[in-house]
Amino acid sequence: MNEKMLEILKEVGVTEQEKIDAIAALGVNTPEDLAELEKSDLITAGLNPVQANKLLKSAAADSAPASQAGILTNFDGVLPETPDEENWLKALKVGGVIKPDQSTVIAAIRAALAEKVGMFDVPEKLLAEMEQFADENDEPVDPTFFKLRQQVTRRTYAEVFEAIPGLDAEFVTETRKQQLFSRMRKSLFPALQASFTQLEAWYKSWMQGASNPAVMMMAIAGETNVPSGMMTPPDTGVLRDCGDDINNAINAAFKGVGSQIAGALAYDANQIRKFMDDPRLPALIGSVNRDQMIKKIGVTISANYARQEQNLVKYVLGFMQSGDVTRETEATYFSALYMLGNQLDWSVLGIRENGFEAKRALPPEGRRTIPTSRPGNSIKIPDKLD
């Protein structure tokens, strides 16, 4: 089995040698070989259904045809860029007021993923395990214990709220946190899933026509009577409408003080992740390495968590800004957005694959009345909290 295949297996959480051997026994040596297998084959080899889905998706993305690679796998310069950690924090508190803009959306996505995998429970669980391990071994707790306890009991958001008088840690209550998560589950998550349903239908409709052998031969031969709509992308109006729907969902989720709570939650998640990178932590709870530590405390932070977070943020920003995409670049843009969405593990957000039906039927192929901007794309947050 080649190194690329082993790397993909590790990314989806398949590290047990017996499972790797079982997959190799099926004749798999490269990512391309997985195209010959069904999900049931991988489950028989010992993978769980989620791992099987992830493996097939990762391998499909890795082995995309060269003819499509330019628009399917290279997102740089096509989709919106996501800021690094330092620039994100600066944008979050620019002008002394946290605004419902790109930085707030990034904060909310990070917070939502962190909540889904149980990251906010990590400090308390680590404290309990550290104390229990010290008791069992007749040893005093490490100073790291008290540093973590201080982080749990004295949360401070000075780095985010320093320019907003009257806004402090006491304002970030559990009730306000749960209210934000509830709004996101009710409005934003369904809008995201619906957008990918439409995006997948659009892309497959286009590829179905473009990959028709007879049509391809006609195009290569330079014939002019190629059926209308077969070689050109379907209308993208429905996809731009999805961008509007996502922006409206963001408005609904962040009304009132949603922006501030999202910023605080994302900051918490970021601090927890930094703390978990301490190489001494596993030994302090009796674990050999970080993976065993995560398993012991019972959270579901996968090896590719950071990549999932970055891809989901890029996906959301991509749809938020889709109203500004020009007619000349829309095919490349939405194709890249589809491939990005196809790499996401939607189950992390508690969304079932294919759990939502398309909200609108695709328009007839060949009809291409495409606006370059839509008035509904601006994000306005009401001042009143529900």
Side-chain angles (χ1 to χ4, degrees):
M1 189 175 292
N2 67 15
E3 292 184 4
K4 186 61 179 178
M5 188 65 236
L6 291 172
E7 181 183 338
I8 291 177
L9 287 171
K10 183 178 180 180
E11 288 180 351
V12 301
V14 180
T15 56
E16 301 90 337
Q17 190 58 49
E18 59 269 22
K19 291 183 180 180
I20 295 174
D21 292 340
I23 294 172
L26 295 173
V28 175
N29 183 51
T30 67
E32 290 79 7
D33 294 335
L34 286 170
E36 306 300 324
L37 300 181
E38 299 291 338
K39 178 179 176 181
S40 58
D41 297 323
L42 296 174
I43 293 177
T44 302
L47 277 64
N48 61 47
V50 173
Q51 288 175 324
N53 279 332
K54 289 181 178 179
L55 184 56
L56 292 174
K57 284 185 177 181
S58 295
D62 183 75
S63 58
S67 61
Q68 300 177 16
I71 61 174
L72 301 186
T73 60
N74 182 13
F75 307 137
D76 294 339
V78 179
L79 299 179
E81 292 296 322
T82 54
D84 57 28
E85 205 70 36
E86 181 179 357
N87 289 327
W88 167 67
L89 278 173
K90 287 181 179 179
L92 196 62
K93 58 182 181 180
V94 65
V97 177
I98 298 179
K99 300 179 180 180
D101 58 6
Q102 175 177 295
S103 62
T104 306
V105 174
I106 294 173
I109 294 301
R110 288 180 167 182
L113 280 178
E115 192 260 348
K116 285 296 182 180
V117 302
M119 185 159 317
F120 296 116
D121 298 328
V122 166
E124 286 83 356
K125 291 184 175 182
L126 279 177
L127 285 172
E129 291 289 345
M130 290 166 71
E131 187 171 5
Q132 180 179 340
F133 185 72
D135 287 343
E136 291 172 351
N137 290 275
D138 297 326
E139 294 285 344
V141 294
D142 188 89
T144 305
F145 175 88
F146 297 103
K147 181 180 178 181
L148 180 58
R149 185 176 181 277
Q150 183 181 41
Q151 182 176 324
V152 171
T153 58
R154 302 180 185 178
R155 284 193 172 98
T156 175
Y157 305 104
E159 189 173 359
V160 180
F161 296 154
E162 61 184 356
I164 310 179
L167 185 55
D168 54 27
E170 292 182 2
F171 184 80
V172 187
T173 62
E174 188 63 28
T175 298
R176 288 192 170 99
K177 292 177 184 178
Q178 293 307 317
Q179 182 184 57
L180 176 62
F181 288 136
S182 176
R183 288 174 177 174
M184 293 181 70
R185 286 191 293 267
K186 182 179 179 180
S187 59
L188 184 55
F189 293 174
L192 293 181
Q193 178 59 37
S195 72
F196 185 69
T197 300
Q198 292 287 7
L199 194 58
E200 186 174 43
W202 173 86
Y203 181 81
K204 288 185 175 181
S205 176
W206 181 20
M207 289 298 104
Q208 185 176 5
S211 62
N212 185 300
V215 174
M216 290 294 291
M217 291 303 296
M218 293 170 67
I220 293 172
E223 296 187 24
T224 59
N225 60 340
V226 177
S228 174
M230 295 298 283
M231 294 297 292
T232 57
D235 185 87
T236 61
V238 66
L239 302 181
R240 295 170 184 270
D241 288 343
C242 286
D244 289 347
D245 292 341
I246 288 174
N247 280 334
N248 290 334
I250 289 171
N251 287 334
F254 294 154
K255 58 188 175 182
V257 295
S259 298
Q260 287 76 16
I261 301 303
L265 284 166
Y267 182 79
D268 272 344
N270 195 47
Q271 295 301 103
I272 293 171
R273 286 169 62 179
K274 287 180 179 179
F275 192 88
M276 290 179 68
D277 288 336
D278 188 333
R280 300 172 300 163
L281 274 182
L284 295 178
I285 68 169
S287 297
V288 176
N289 53 41
R290 188 177 188 273
D291 289 341
Q292 285 192 10
M293 177 185 74
I294 290 173
K295 185 178 295 186
K296 187 171 185 178
I297 63 177
V299 294
T300 56
I301 304 173
S302 63
N304 64 345
Y305 176 85
R307 188 176 70 172
Q308 282 287 318
E309 179 189 84
Q310 182 179 20
N311 286 349
L312 183 57
V313 167
K314 188 181 286 285
Y315 181 89
V316 176
L317 295 182
F319 258 112
M320 284 177 61
Q321 300 178 24
S322 61
D324 298 326
V325 177
T326 64
R327 178 171 179 174
E328 291 73 26
T329 62
E330 63 180 2
T332 299
Y333 187 91
F334 285 115
S335 295
L337 197 56
Y338 165 72
M339 284 305 298
L340 183 63
N342 199 44
Q343 294 178 23
L344 290 172
D345 179 8
W346 292 101
S347 64
V348 174
L349 292 178
I351 296 174
R352 293 176 293 123
E353 273 193 86
N354 302 320
F356 291 83
E357 295 182 357
K359 294 183 295 181
R360 306 177 182 88
L362 282 172
E365 294 179 352
R367 188 174 63 196
R368 299 172 52 78
T369 304
I370 300 169
T372 56
S373 62
R374 305 181 65 86
N377 278 353
S378 59
I379 302 177
K380 298 180 180 178
I381 308 299
D383 295 326
K384 185 178 179 181
L385 177 65
D386 281 354

